[in-house]
Amino acid sequence: MMGQQHGALGMRQQQQRNGMSPAGLALCPTHVLRPVHSMCQQPAQRHTRRQGLEAVAGHSEPVAMQSALTPQDEQPIASTSGTDDVDRSINTSNLWEIDFCSRPMVDERGKKVWELLICDSSRSFEYSEYFANSKINSAELRRAVEAILARPGAVRPEKARFFRSQMQTIITKALTECGIKPVPSRRCFTVMSWIQERMESVYKLDPRYSDKSQSLFSLDLGPPEALPDALRGEQWAFVQLPLRQLQTMLKGVEEADIFGNTFDLATIGADTLPKDILIPGVAVFSRRALPLAAWTNGLEIAAVKADVLRSSLILETGVNQRWKYGGWKPNQDAIDEAENWEDCKQGVKGLHFLAVQPNPDSEDLTGLWLLSDREPPQV
């Protein structure tokens, strides 16, 4: 069960001046979730604070959460990173991150060179292999995966995340045939960072590099959809926590005491953030907080965004799914608060979080997800 430490997202009444947090971030009122298209709301009544998490609590009416390569080129590379001489060629992880895409390189025929990258979240396992343009199919991908799994001591992962929707058919078929669950997800923080690292350390140093041969893959996001009933809460609030306290609370996720997901800050370049810096988040309150957290945990949550034009929170999941997660009355104060929350998020390298708890005064936290608002690499 959750202890006092994990209840730090609860809020007790404490007056603040001018509706601003100590960090100067204007915070949004707590919103009651309402049916889609209903936009009624009353102004905030009071400011509250509890154990370092800050929000503005108010009352509102019901809001809805709604090429031809040489034989040498084609050989796989069992990677080792840095100078630690650690063997990273044998997988022992239950979760992979995969990218299978063209790179900014061309072969002697002028065809794009493709690359397969596979790693785990800590990069204790890494695999890379170049592919000719004519070999981009599920059979070739399955061959590479089976070769990895055939190595002595290798563990078959339970699932593998990938973030390019355009490659979903090939990746899904190959992984399924290998007994690995394919998971479309933008929570591929480690492989994304590895790609960006390889741009400077590998691709640009390769004689086949061409800055005119950029990837055509892009993130294709459609309009947000109505949120399924099982994922609806009753109230929500913009909140914030010092990074140190947030990391402490995330230990409950790591120890499986609460639902949620986290990641190494180094994978998004956020490991140098000061421990006392305030991290913005969204807290969702519900009398059915435990089942709500369980259902929410079934999503591959990428980010939460405050969409000013739609006067709505947008929950982004999987690779390109978007959901209407909550809303506010479109007035200037609400717009300023939403924009300030987004500015704060960008000021901490896109880092933010989503929390679920029974109510603003509860000492229980049933779900906590560390999130990163970042675009996939354009490579």
Side-chain angles (χ1 to χ4, degrees), residues 76-342:
I77 303 171
S79 303
T80 57
S81 296
T83 57
D84 54 11
D85 294 328
V86 175
D87 182 5
R88 304 180 190 275
S89 65
I90 306 300
N91 176 67
T92 59
S93 172
N94 282 325
L95 175 62
W96 279 356
E97 296 180 16
I98 290 182
D99 187 47
F100 193 29
C101 188
S102 62
R103 299 301 185 221
M105 299 184 293
V106 294
D107 60 21
E108 64 273 17
R109 300 176 302 161
K111 301 295 185 180
K112 287 185 176 182
V113 175
W114 284 60
E115 183 182 45
L116 170 66
L117 291 181
I118 307 177
C119 64
D120 59 15
S121 61
S122 65
R123 285 179 62 179
S124 58
F125 164 70
E126 296 177 349
Y127 179 89
S128 63
E129 180 179 355
Y130 290 128
F131 285 75
N133 184 270
S134 59
K135 294 186 177 182
I136 308 307
N137 54 64
S138 62
E140 287 293 325
L141 178 55
R142 185 183 67 240
R143 173 198 57 76
V145 171
E146 289 175 341
I148 294 171
L149 299 176
R151 294 172 176 173
V155 172
R156 184 184 307 273
E158 295 178 3
K159 59 183 181 179
R161 290 181 172 133
F162 64 94
F163 64 91
R164 300 193 197 266
S165 60
Q166 297 90 340
M167 297 302 296
Q168 182 162 349
T169 300
I170 289 177
I171 292 176
T172 297
K173 188 175 190 308
L175 292 180
T176 301
E177 291 175 352
C178 291
I180 302 171
K181 180 181 179 180
V183 181
S185 174
R186 281 157 57 194
R187 296 188 66 87
C188 297
F189 305 120
T190 303
V191 77
M192 287 182 184
S193 297
W194 191 17
I195 293 167
Q196 293 172 329
E197 174 187 310
R198 286 174 67 81
M199 172 59 82
E200 302 298 327
S201 64
V202 177
Y203 309 142
K204 288 186 177 181
L205 302 181
D206 194 295
R208 298 168 296 179
Y209 174 75
S210 170
D211 57 7
K212 297 180 181 179
S213 180
Q214 297 299 319
S215 172
L216 298 178
F217 289 92
S218 61
L219 185 61
D220 184 19
L221 296 176
E225 302 177 26
L227 195 70
D229 290 345
L231 299 174
R232 294 186 185 184
E234 296 161 8
Q235 293 180 312
W236 67 270
F238 284 139
V239 294
Q240 55 187 10
L241 277 172
L243 178 58
R244 179 182 290 105
Q245 186 174 353
L246 177 59
Q247 289 180 306
T248 298
M249 295 166 66
L250 284 166
K251 291 181 180 178
V253 175
E254 296 169 354
E255 296 168 1
D257 291 334
I258 60 174
F259 292 105
N261 213 321
T262 186
F263 58 87
D264 187 344
L265 295 183
T267 60
I268 64 167
D271 52 324
T272 59
L273 289 173
K275 294 298 183 181
D276 59 350
I277 196 168
L278 292 172
I279 306 302
V282 169
V284 175
F285 311 114
S286 174
R287 286 167 291 184
R288 44 182 289 277
L290 189 60
L292 175 60
W295 278 101
T296 302
N297 205 47
L299 303 174
E300 286 288 317
I301 304 177
V304 177
K305 295 186 177 181
D307 189 328
V308 172
L309 295 179
R310 289 186 171 91
S311 299
S312 177
L313 288 180
I314 304 298
L315 181 69
E316 297 187 347
T317 65
V319 172
N320 53 14
Q321 295 173 306
R322 306 176 77 209
W323 310 95
K324 296 175 183 177
Y325 203 53
W328 59 83
K329 186 175 180 179
N331 57 53
Q332 193 57 52
D333 286 344
I335 291 173
D336 290 345
E337 289 161 353
E339 290 179 341
N340 284 340
W341 185 81
E342 281 291 336

